Amino acid sequence: RSRTVLKLRVMGAVENRWRGYYSGDFTPKLSEEEGLATDVVELQSGDISWASGKQGSARRKIQSASGCSLEYLGTLACFVGTLPERERCRQYLTWLLDQKGSRNRELCLPVSVEARADATAMPFAAADRKHLDSEALQQIELATDTFIFFRETPPMEVLAAGTMVQLQY
């Protein structure tokens, strides 16, 4: 694993200086290999800086939370890990990109996310969330190897039969 990651990291550094030097040799593909393998996914060119984050912070937190190595070659995202690690990493990257344009890390995800083994739901009032700025959240993520986001309840979930709603005014 470390040699594959090292190779991709060096290739990424070269790619940053000379676009297309290595990325032209890769094609997007998802491996079905259960063990250690590499998945390659193409991103939109405007998503690369968001996916990488300030000084690579977004990439590092997704790696830590998923257990999968993530490297970028031009517009390609390379995931190195076992099948479950690669799947988690791709999902976390998708969630990160879905946050693009949101000022408060909210995502509209189904309630089934809360039942995932790799997710912990924590009730948090909007008023309390105002006390956590972006820097504080990043520090928590780095210290705990987690990826934090706030789940926005989809309207259809609120209006579903049998749903209990607490109104506050």
Side-chain angles (χ1 to χ4, degrees):
R1 181 187 300 236
S2 60
R3 287 188 292 263
T4 301
V5 172
L6 171 66
K7 178 181 171 183
L8 287 171
R9 191 156 297 164
V10 169
M11 292 168 80
V14 171
E15 186 75 20
N16 283 337
R17 291 187 182 252
W18 295 285
R19 292 277 178 218
Y21 193 85
Y22 285 112
S23 60
D25 297 337
F26 284 81
T27 56
K29 69 173 178 64
L30 299 180
S31 174
E32 295 179 16
E33 181 73 33
E34 286 285 333
L36 186 65
T38 302
D39 290 349
V40 179
V41 175
E42 181 135 25
L43 302 178
Q44 300 294 320
S45 60
D47 289 342
I48 296 298
S49 63
W50 184 265
S52 183
K54 186 177 182 180
Q55 297 178 339
S57 62
R59 181 185 61 81
R60 284 192 305 276
K61 75 179 175 183
I62 290 173
Q63 281 185 152
S64 295
S66 68
C68 178
S69 295
L70 173 59
E71 297 297 331
Y72 299 115
L73 292 177
T75 59
L76 300 175
C78 302
F79 306 85
V80 180
T82 63
L83 183 60
E85 292 168 348
R86 295 189 317 268
E87 288 173 342
R88 272 195 310 271
C89 196
R90 288 195 316 269
Q91 180 68 77
Y92 296 168
L93 180 59
T94 299
W95 289 347
L96 176 74
L97 294 174
D98 287 348
Q99 288 179 357
K100 191 174 173 182
S102 170
R103 290 180 300 208
N104 52 11
R105 293 182 176 222
E106 279 191 2
L107 289 174
C108 194
L109 297 171
V111 73
S112 62
V113 167
E114 296 177 10
R116 290 174 56 135
D118 63 328
T120 301
M122 185 175 137
F124 211 72
D128 295 337
R129 190 169 56 195
K130 292 178 184 175
H131 299 294
L132 292 173
D133 63 11
S134 182
E135 188 173 322
L137 290 171
Q138 285 180 358
Q139 292 300 321
I140 293 168
E141 288 172 329
L142 290 173
T144 59
D145 291 336
T146 57
F147 175 41
I148 299 172
F149 66 92
F150 297 101
R151 184 178 170 272
E152 178 185 324
T153 306
M156 292 309 295
E157 196 174 297
V158 173
L159 301 175
T163 302
M164 293 181 65
V165 177
Q166 179 181 359
L167 300 176
Q168 293 179 340
Y169 56 95

